[in-house]
Amino acid sequence: MTLPLSRPAFDAEPKGAKALGTLPDWDLSDLYAAPDAPEFSRDLAWLETECAAFAASYEGKLADLDAAAMLDCVRRYERIDVVAGRIMSFAGLRYYQNTTDPSRAKFMGDAQQKVTDYTTPLVFFGLEFNRLDEAHLGNLLAANADLARYRPVFDRMRALRPYQLSDELEKFLHDQSSVGASAWNKLFDETLAGLTFEVAGEDEALNLEATLNLLTDSDRAKREAGARALAGVFEGNLKLFSRVHNTLAKEKEIEDRWRKMPTAQTARHLSNHVEPEVVEALRDAVVAAYPKLSHRYYRLKAKWLGLEKLEIWDRNAPLPTEAPKTVAWDEAKDTVLTAYSAFDPRMAEIARPFFDKGWIDAAVKPGKAPGAFAHPTVTEVHPYVMLNYLGKPRDVMTLAHELGHGVHQVLAAGQGELLSSTPLTLAETASVFGEMLTFRKLLEGARTQAEKKTLLAGKVEDMINTVVRQIAFYDFECKLHAARREGELTPDDINALWMSIQAESLGDAFNFMDGYETFWAYVPHFVHSPFYVYAYAFGDGLVNALYAVYAEGDAGFQEKYFEMLKAGGSKHHKELLAPFGLDASDPKFWDKGLSMIAGFIDELEAMED
């Protein structure tokens, strides 16, 4: 049965919430005091006026500007970016706190429409800038060091030159963006947030986050009940999810075709400032490693659980020797801050305000978006972290991950709005490194062999989820977009594409229940950010290599690490990794990171002897 898009029928507090302690909520007043704050209206009015004034000052005139005038132009553009970003950060964060609240949805929709309308006059800037003669631009940059600082931004803009359309078409695409992909994104988000799941054995209906959480329960019957409830509700909503994916994939294909993008992945590679061959080397290395990673680990896990075959609900099951544990919020906070501080006290100092100043929204609440993220907002404010904290040991690692993003975003803010934004491939570096620091700290404190085994197994599963699962997701997206170019996809078509990569990535240790073929439906990255997912594997592999350098006692590692994070998007990955003696364009680079995962599995196998 298709569930209505209504407020979820479950209590605000999940079971066991009191054991977690007081969970923090966001204080968004550093952005704006309230939706009706005069500052919000003032900024919207300024944005409308300044965008029009910017176009009047510069449209058709960029080629005539000297270096000083071009710098003024870029700085005005950057200021507009800050104000628009502040407006949309406030509207978006309020919305994600409760996506089923019509007033919040309207507020965000109205803000998005106004920002889109007001910034339409700016479309000329990138197009006209890309038409500047190369020698002329080189002379401008040589004449003014402050302008030359923006070279990485200009390089990324000019990488799009072969794919830009006419000014009129670019303005049209900008104008209709609020009713294109972003509208389908909202429909997807609101649908997910509104789903409820009747789980056998539960007294009340659960939301998506709480139902997914059952898949890590120590009780196998609960895990199965959760998986079957997920499958049933996904099946009931599959026509809608299929329509969302069909529409977005077709819209992307049309735009890619008009832009003459050679592949569906090209736009993502350009935005990540990463070469396609580097991504393919990563993808190929991970796929080749499936047998020694996921296939081998899951056969080992089946043995631990005393099963001939794992079912899909056993994939993230705790070990039989693992005592069920609820980690209170204060303990999670202390664990992560202690691990950060042991690496470098400055890292904990940067992370602490997230806990003390309302920069984290942690509780599971009705209508709240599922998952977790760190949003940088704008460089003159600070990031905000969203969690759905349920006290699982994995939730502690999620906290460490998102705080890593937050630390990175705080450090990169010094670059200014245009240069602080880090490509997704590098944006996952600090988050995964934060997880690794927390894991290593916990492993050092393990008192028994059983505790060490539990920690190692948990880390291996997290790494498989980050590397193997995300590359499998990437392959699924590649197949989905290629198939959509041939015509409309039925729900069964998409299900078949999903299953075509599952056995390959997970291995022969699994049975796949009826209904698992629908589990592509809830993955938000497919909808919000096509081909985003390989960034997780990129980040994990990069961090494993980085951590090996750190563990070897590299002199001045901390200073080099902080400098890398402070760089934000101002340097290419090759330049950022050079001080550590690393090069992601070397195909053998990825084998180093994958060998770390294999080494952990070796340790687990040795414990069986």
Side-chain angles (χ1 to χ4, degrees), residues 193-307:
L195 296 180
T196 57
F197 301 82
E198 300 287 346
V199 182
E202 295 293 322
D203 297 332
E204 57 195 22
L206 303 178
N207 72 340
L208 175 62
E209 200 70 39
T211 309
L212 288 169
N213 187 54
L214 290 175
L215 301 184
T216 63
D217 200 281
S218 58
D219 185 336
R220 194 169 190 236
K222 285 188 176 182
R223 297 199 303 271
E224 179 179 356
R228 295 198 183 281
L230 289 165
V233 173
F234 294 158
E235 177 64 34
N237 289 271
L238 210 56
K239 286 183 179 179
L240 188 148
F241 289 129
S242 298
R243 174 57 47 219
V244 169
H245 282 70
N246 266 289
T247 302
L248 289 174
K250 184 60 180 177
E251 182 185 63
K252 178 169 173 43
E253 184 274 327
I254 293 169
E255 184 168 339
D256 285 349
R257 175 160 37 88
W258 275 79
R259 293 189 182 282
K260 297 182 172 56
M261 294 274 185
T263 72
Q265 299 84 4
T266 298
R268 177 61 62 201
H269 299 335
L270 286 169
S271 69
N272 283 344
H273 204 39
V274 65
E275 300 76 13
E277 58 269 22
V278 172
V279 178
E280 285 310 298
L282 163 64
R283 182 262 171 202
D284 291 347
V286 173
V287 172
Y290 285 169
K292 69 178 181 181
L293 299 181
S294 49
H295 297 187
R296 182 164 62 119
Y297 174 75
Y298 287 127
R299 283 194 292 268
L300 196 57
K301 185 164 189 175
K303 180 180 173 183
W304 294 335
L305 295 176
L307 299 169

Side-chain angles (χ1 to χ4, degrees), residues 556-572:
F557 181 91
Q558 281 86 339
E559 287 303 324
K560 288 188 279 189
Y561 181 74
F562 274 93
E563 286 304 309
M564 179 177 71
L565 300 190
K566 287 177 184 176
S570 68
K571 294 181 180 179
H572 187 265

